[in-house]
Amino acid sequence: MNTALVELRDVTRSFPGPPEVQALKAVNLKADAGDYISIVGPSGSGKSTMLNLLGLLDRPSVGEYRLAGSLTGDLTDDERAAVRARFIGFVFQAFHLMPRRSVLDNVLMPMLYSGVPRREREARARDALKRVGLGHRIEFFPNSLSGGERQRVAIARAVVSGPKLLLADEPTGNLDQTTSGEVMELFEELNDDGLTLIVITHDPVVARRARRSIRIADGRLSEL
């Protein structure tokens, strides 16, 4: 029996009040290696809380989170940061690129923390940028790029260290329909190569592209 890559067991995340708010309520979720899952729901449904838990940016109030079979609840903050750096890539709606650094420097940055040997870093960054169609833009700065190009840089940065899990938070939220489709095609190519992909979105069109779609509403999950 294969171990799930991601497993939430009866996870509740509460925030103190008054009144206390339960952002997630007894959530169970399994994702196997190579899965492509969308989590879709409106604003305030618990999507951001779910992303923070899956990305080890937050901890459950109740329940457990296993990553590749290992419990994460007892990890120190430094240990969680180390697991994130090696294991998880993030793509956000707002790109979060460093405006005063070149495209190449932006993609090099996560490898400072993920254990990639120094001699390999530039070649890997260049390969990642070629993979997303931006090999000709490596010396450009983010502000000179289109929104779609900036998101491609963010994807290259997210995958350059070889993560097992890619978490995308509203990755098409700042893009037009055509560019959104191109970015989603890129995600799907990465998934076809074996990367586990969880996309959090409010857009049903984006959600339907996933192999599994899960709705979140009022902190509870239901498979669609």
Side-chain angles (χ1 to χ4, degrees):
M1 181 177 175
N2 291 335
T3 300
L5 183 70
V6 167
E7 186 172 11
L8 300 179
R9 296 183 180 176
D10 294 320
V11 164
T12 294
R13 180 63 174 103
S14 301
F15 296 94
E20 180 184 84
V21 174
Q22 286 191 339
L24 295 175
K25 302 171 183 174
V27 162
N28 291 283
L29 175 68
K30 275 189 180 183
D32 293 327
D35 262 353
Y36 174 15
I37 298 173
S38 65
I39 299 176
V40 61
S43 178
S45 59
K47 298 194 306 296
S48 294
T49 303
M50 173 71 81
L51 177 95
N52 288 338
L53 289 177
L54 292 173
L56 295 176
L57 299 168
D58 193 12
R59 301 172 186 264
S61 304
V62 178
E64 61 184 40
Y65 176 22
R66 291 179 180 266
L67 195 56
S70 297
L71 277 171
T72 63
D74 293 334
L75 297 178
T76 66
D77 288 344
D78 285 347
E79 288 168 339
R80 292 162 75 83
V83 171
R84 276 198 306 275
R86 292 194 314 269
F87 208 91
I88 303 172
F90 294 89
V91 177
F92 298 99
Q93 176 177 344
F95 317 131
H96 295 316
L97 300 177
M98 297 177 292
R100 295 182 177 84
R101 297 292 186 95
S102 69
V103 163
L104 182 63
D105 284 343
N106 269 276
V107 177
L108 284 166
M109 184 61 66
M111 289 185 284
L112 298 175
Y113 309 102
S114 61
V116 176
R118 183 187 295 271
R119 65 185 177 276
E120 296 179 17
R121 292 174 190 167
E122 184 166 341
R124 287 180 67 156
R126 289 176 180 270
D127 286 346
L129 285 163
K130 287 177 187 173
R131 175 68 195 273
V132 301
L134 289 177
H136 60 303
R137 292 280 197 262
I138 60 172
E139 300 301 335
F140 282 57
F141 287 80
N143 289 344
S144 66
L145 304 178
S146 69
E149 287 173 329
R150 278 182 274 176
Q151 193 60 293
R152 286 172 179 269
V153 175
I155 293 168
R157 180 185 59 189
V159 302
V160 72
S161 297
K164 303 295 185 189
L165 172 65
L166 182 64
L167 299 174
D169 184 18
E170 302 284 4
T172 62
N174 285 336
L175 306 177
D176 61 55
Q177 187 173 355
T178 299
T179 308
S180 294
E182 293 169 353
V183 166
M184 294 312 297
E185 286 172 8
L186 178 55
F187 279 137
E188 286 152 15
E189 290 172 13
L190 293 166
N191 176 248
D192 287 342
D193 287 345
L195 184 61
T196 305
L197 181 59
I198 299 179
V199 176
I200 293 177
T201 182
H202 71 277
D203 186 340
V205 175
V206 170
R208 282 195 296 269
R209 297 184 72 129
R211 296 199 185 104
R212 289 172 60 196
S213 192
I214 294 170
R215 181 157 191 82
I216 185 167
D218 193 28
R220 299 184 186 276
L221 299 188
S222 56
E223 194 115 6
L224 298 176

